Amino acid sequence: MLEAFRRWFKPQRPVRPAVVANIWKDAAAWAELSRHTFKCTREGDGFVIDAGLSAQPWRLEWGPSQRTYIQGHELRFRMELQLPSGLQMLVLNRSLLESLERESFERYTEVNQTQVDVSTSEEMRWVTMFPQSELATQRVLRPHFAALSSSPSQAESWLNGELAEALVLAHASVLPKEMPWVLMTLRGRVYMRMALPEPKAALLNAMSKLFVTACTAALRVSVSGLDGAESSTSAATDSLAPLNTAWQSDVGSKK
């Protein structure tokens, strides 16, 4: 018994970031080739890649899931764009939408709640609160994706053009329909997350391109105003300005 307690309280040797980086050398090599910064988390259970778009920083993380609807590890992105606070849009694959709807229904009916539980994720609350866009101009997306927003026309505008094309390509190549995936704008930022057991370089590259496309499209919607007026993609990209905020993680030394 005494020996068991000794083992329990014995300090654990931390995993050296350099060793962990070697495990994910494929991802580290991709980051270096793309001129991004690769770092391992101190816990040794994931990594962080810092990148940028027109001097605007964004962050990629791979590590243990932070959402109940994703088991194991997940890939997540975040970029601060100072979008209008009223720009609240959510795009997700239909398999996840159905799962969140079931979970939300069960949670609220079991405890007989009359208000939305603020401890749940924004994704689940929005599925309950926001109406779905009919995707009238993006019918090719209907079988695979759903879009929700406080103003459905905003989500429709977000998906117009390059973002819709990128989603179709991702669905056909690197984004299986059963894999939980979410893209959203919240508190001035763009977020994306998905289940990902193994971070292969090709998938990191594909999803990074999708994320950057989503950020540029979100800026297009924001600079055109919340009334859905049109604006050029180049004007949206030109509005990017350097900011120091990014996804906060406890990271170790560079590879």
Side-chain angles (χ1 to χ4, degrees), residues 149-167:
S149 175
S150 54
S151 172
S153 61
Q154 294 175 5
E156 188 97 10
S157 178
W158 192 23
L159 290 170
N160 277 340
E162 292 185 357
L163 180 53
E165 295 173 3
L167 281 173

Side-chain angles (χ1 to χ4, degrees), residues 2 33 37 39 43 47 52 55 57 66 69 72 78 80 82 85 98 125 142 149 157-158 174 186 202 209:
L2 180 59
L33 183 64
T37 302
K39 297 178 182 179
E43 295 80 6
F47 58 79
Q66 298 176 350
Y69 58 79
R78 170 177 167 172
E80 169 67 72
Q82 294 185 331
S85 59
E98 294 169 0
R125 296 203 302 271
R142 285 183 186 176
S149 175
S157 178
W158 192 23
V174 296
L186 174 68
K209 289 180 179 179

Side-chain angles (χ1 to χ4, degrees), residues 132-205:
Q132 288 190 45
S133 168
E134 296 182 358
L135 297 178
T137 61
Q138 299 297 335
R139 296 183 180 181
V140 67
L141 298 178
R142 285 183 186 176
H144 315 297
F145 300 98
L148 302 89
S149 175
S150 54
S151 172
S153 61
Q154 294 175 5
E156 188 97 10
S157 178
W158 192 23
L159 290 170
N160 277 340
E162 292 185 357
L163 180 53
E165 295 173 3
L167 281 173
V168 171
L169 178 61
H171 173 74
S173 56
V174 296
L175 194 57
K177 64 178 182 179
E178 69 278 2
M179 181 177 292
W181 173 87
V182 167
L183 175 67
M184 66 191 304
T185 60
L186 174 68
R187 302 187 187 96
R189 306 178 181 95
V190 177
Y191 298 88
M192 187 170 75
R193 72 174 71 233
M194 63 182 289
L196 186 62
E198 190 174 357
K200 293 292 187 180
L203 192 143
L204 296 181
N205 187 57

Side-chain angles (χ1 to χ4, degrees), residues 1-247:
M1 176 65 79
L2 180 59
E3 184 61 28
F5 275 103
R6 287 174 178 171
R7 289 197 302 269
W8 180 266
F9 288 105
K10 182 180 180 180
Q12 299 295 315
R13 295 180 59 186
V15 180
R16 292 183 301 162
V19 174
V20 179
N22 186 57
I23 298 175
W24 301 309
K25 60 182 179 181
D26 191 36
W30 170 77
E32 183 176 6
L33 183 64
S34 304
R35 297 185 178 180
H36 302 329
T37 302
F38 179 95
K39 297 178 182 179
C40 296
T41 59
R42 296 190 184 278
E43 295 80 6
D45 55 3
F47 58 79
V48 172
I49 295 178
D50 286 313
L53 172 64
S54 299
Q56 183 80 12
W58 58 269
R59 174 165 285 190
L60 174 160
E61 285 189 358
W62 182 81
S65 172
Q66 298 176 350
R67 291 292 189 267
T68 58
Y69 58 79
I70 295 179
Q71 303 299 315
H73 277 57
E74 68 177 8
L75 179 67
R76 48 187 179 263
F77 295 79
R78 170 177 167 172
M79 187 171 185
E80 169 67 72
L81 291 176
Q82 294 185 331
L83 300 172
S85 59
L87 197 61
Q88 298 176 314
M89 305 179 292
L90 171 65
V91 180
L92 69 170
N93 48 10
R94 289 208 169 269
S95 59
L96 177 57
L97 173 65
E98 294 169 0
S99 175
L100 292 179
E101 285 178 334
R102 286 194 302 269
E103 183 178 350
S104 177
F105 176 79
E106 292 171 358
R107 175 173 300 195
Y108 298 135
T109 54
E110 284 180 3
V111 297
N112 196 27
Q113 290 185 352
T114 57
Q115 296 181 345
V116 176
D117 184 357
V118 295
S119 67
T120 60
S121 66
E122 288 88 356
E123 299 93 308
M124 182 175 293
R125 296 203 302 271
W126 286 11
V127 164
T128 304
M129 296 167 52
F130 291 162
Q132 288 190 45
S133 168
E134 296 182 358
L135 297 178
T137 61
Q138 299 297 335
R139 296 183 180 181
V140 67
L141 298 178
R142 285 183 186 176
H144 315 297
F145 300 98
L148 302 89
S149 175
S150 54
S151 172
S153 61
Q154 294 175 5
E156 188 97 10
S157 178
W158 192 23
L159 290 170
N160 277 340
E162 292 185 357
L163 180 53
E165 295 173 3
L167 281 173
V168 171
L169 178 61
H171 173 74
S173 56
V174 296
L175 194 57
K177 64 178 182 179
E178 69 278 2
M179 181 177 292
W181 173 87
V182 167
L183 175 67
M184 66 191 304
T185 60
L186 174 68
R187 302 187 187 96
R189 306 178 181 95
V190 177
Y191 298 88
M192 187 170 75
R193 72 174 71 233
M194 63 182 289
L196 186 62
E198 190 174 357
K200 293 292 187 180
L203 192 143
L204 296 181
N205 187 57
M207 298 312 294
S208 295
K209 289 180 179 179
L210 175 60
F211 177 70
V212 169
T213 300
C215 290
T216 303
L219 280 168
R220 171 176 53 79
V221 176
S222 70
V223 299
S224 68
L226 300 185
D227 58 357
E230 291 298 323
S231 180
S232 67
T233 300
S234 60
T237 305
D238 290 343
S239 70
L240 290 167
L243 289 173
N244 295 322
T245 54
W247 203 305

